[in-house]
């Protein structure tokens, strides 16, 4: 039987780094959006810069929240942010708690990413490698933005990388601590300034065999750059670094992008990552959100 997940407030699915709403017939949140709509929720996908810092993307999100509120007549929205989208959602909720009913972080680097730390150290400031990396990544982000119809949005790959490092997120957290756990690996306040905070994430499935999913193979390769959470990460974000508010679970057997989509590995397992979003919408409905 289909779960009733008709939330009181509209749901905004907030994409992360190099994310987009739609390119041609491909939608980043296609399965999630369809499942939530089928379950009865009103769903929107705001378009943010593919690469930029958390504050710039957060300001863009605030404007689109206002647009959704005007268009729907709702008084608040539920924000579900994937990866860096969680930081954009946290920014919006901190500045406009009156307009945000809940923030849900899915695989969000709420304490920074060790992968971002490694990449930042690999770039020498003010020398050729940094300039080349900045230009290439920004051009790629511009290309994605053009294809997805958001060509006027600013892009800044280096600002995005700096904003995702442990140091960068630490500075962000000093300004916007809402929902953060007081201890490493713990749970944060479930509600701050009237906004409810939730999170879930995954860790790479334990396997010594190559996967048929190239994305999971890439995440496995990237996981070697984690030190603090070497065996507890999804290839991009550490398990405990993802904790925010009420932690639903942070060790689902999912890589970083499998919390967005069904892959060959998740189809073969008993876990449906898309169902997690419908379950969460029902959770929000249960508390009148």
């Amino acid at each position: 039987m289909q779960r009733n997940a008709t939330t009181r407030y509209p749901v905004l699915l907030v994409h992360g780094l190099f994310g987009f709403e739609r390119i041609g017939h491909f939608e980043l949140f296609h399965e999630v959006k369809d499942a939530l709509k089928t379950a009865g929720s009103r769903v929107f996908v705001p378009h943010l810069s593919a690469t930029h810092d958390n504050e710039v993307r957060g300001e863009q999100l605030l404007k689109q929240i206002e647009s959704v509120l005007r268009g729907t007549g709702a008084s608040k929205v539920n924000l579900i942010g994937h990866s860096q989208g969680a930081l954009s959602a946290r920014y919006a909720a901190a500045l406009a708690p009156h307009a945000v009913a809940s923030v849900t972080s899915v695989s969000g680097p709420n304490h920074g990413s060790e992968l971002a730390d490694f990449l930042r150290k690999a770039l020498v400031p003010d020398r050729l490698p940094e300039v080349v990396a900045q230009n290439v990544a920004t051009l790629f982000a511009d290309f994605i933005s053009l294809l997805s119809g958001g060509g006027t949005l600013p892009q800044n790959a280096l600002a995005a990388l700096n904003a995702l490092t442990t140091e960068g997120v630490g500075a962000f957290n000093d300004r916007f601590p809402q929902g953060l756990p007081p201890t490493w690996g713990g749970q944060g306040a479930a509600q701050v300034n009237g906004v409810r905070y939730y999170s879930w994430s995954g860790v790479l499935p334990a396997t010594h065999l190559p996967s048929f999913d190239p994305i999971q193979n890439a995440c496995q390769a990237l996981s070697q750059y984690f030190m603090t959470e070497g065996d507890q990460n999804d290839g991009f974000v550490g398990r405990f670094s993802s904790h925010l508010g009420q932690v639903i679970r942070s060790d689902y057997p999912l890589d970083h992008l499998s919390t967005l989509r069904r892959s060959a590995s998740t189809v073969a397992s008993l876990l449906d990552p898309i169902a997690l979003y419908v379950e969460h919408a029902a959770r929000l409905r249960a508390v009148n959100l």
Side-chain angles (χ1 to χ4, degrees):
M1 180 180 294
Q2 175 65 51
R3 183 189 295 266
N4 186 342
T6 306
T7 57
R8 176 181 178 185
Y9 302 113
V11 173
L12 272 65
L13 301 172
V14 188
H15 67 74
L17 184 67
F18 289 120
F20 52 88
E21 179 182 1
R22 174 195 292 271
I23 293 180
H25 295 293
F26 181 77
E27 294 180 77
L28 185 67
F29 283 108
H30 174 71
E31 291 178 294
V32 176
K33 186 169 72 172
D34 278 4
L36 289 175
K37 283 187 173 181
T38 298
S41 292
R42 293 171 291 173
V43 185
F44 300 87
V45 181
H47 192 86
L48 311 182
S49 293
T51 60
H52 222 302
D53 62 40
N54 305 316
E55 289 82 356
V56 167
R57 285 166 44 88
E59 285 294 329
Q60 294 168 357
L61 178 58
L62 282 170
K63 292 179 181 178
Q64 294 183 60
I65 289 173
E66 292 175 1
S67 178
V68 169
L69 295 182
R70 285 195 303 269
T72 62
S75 59
K76 296 184 179 184
V77 296
N78 291 303
L79 300 176
I80 300 180
H82 180 264
S83 194
Q84 191 187 8
L87 302 178
S88 305
R90 288 175 50 197
Y91 177 91
L95 267 65
H98 61 280
V100 178
S102 69
V103 168
T104 302
S105 166
V106 179
S107 304
N110 293 303
H111 297 271
S113 167
E114 291 186 71
L115 178 61
D117 291 344
F118 175 82
L119 293 174
R120 192 66 190 87
K121 289 176 183 176
L123 301 176
V124 181
D126 301 320
R127 293 179 60 184
L128 183 61
E130 183 181 66
V131 173
V132 171
Q134 158 80 348
N135 288 343
V136 170
T138 298
L139 285 171
F140 179 62
D142 285 339
F143 179 65
I144 288 177
S145 188
L146 179 64
L147 290 178
S148 60
T152 61
L153 292 175
Q155 309 293 340
N156 190 323
L158 192 57
L161 178 59
N162 289 336
L164 293 172
T165 62
T166 302
E167 181 180 0
V169 177
F172 178 84
N173 287 345
D174 287 342
R175 296 175 60 200
F176 311 109
Q178 294 86 346
L180 291 173
T183 58
W184 178 251
Q187 303 229 7
Q191 189 167 359
V192 183
N193 296 333
V195 181
R196 288 183 179 266
Y197 288 85
Y198 303 89
S199 62
W200 79 76
S201 59
V203 297
L204 287 165
T207 178
H208 299 289
L209 299 174
S211 167
F212 292 108
D213 183 352
I215 292 178
Q216 186 176 111
N217 288 336
C219 289
Q220 291 280 0
L222 292 171
S223 70
Q224 68 180 301
Y225 298 108
F226 284 74
M227 303 300 291
T228 302
E229 300 191 83
D231 58 350
Q232 295 284 299
N233 67 81
D234 63 8
F236 284 76
V237 177
R239 173 185 178 183
F240 295 134
S241 180
S242 73
H243 283 201
L244 181 77
Q246 178 184 338
V247 181
I248 296 163
R249 182 176 170 182
S250 59
D251 62 346
Y252 286 114
L254 298 168
D255 64 57
H256 191 68
L257 292 177
S258 289
T259 51
L260 266 182
R261 75 199 220 292
R262 295 185 179 101
S263 62
S265 57
T266 59
V267 168
S269 73
L270 297 176
L271 175 64
D272 179 2
I274 305 305
L276 298 179
Y277 291 86
V278 179
E279 291 172 7
H280 188 55
R283 184 178 293 113
L284 295 176
R285 171 185 168 85
V287 292
N288 197 31
L289 300 183

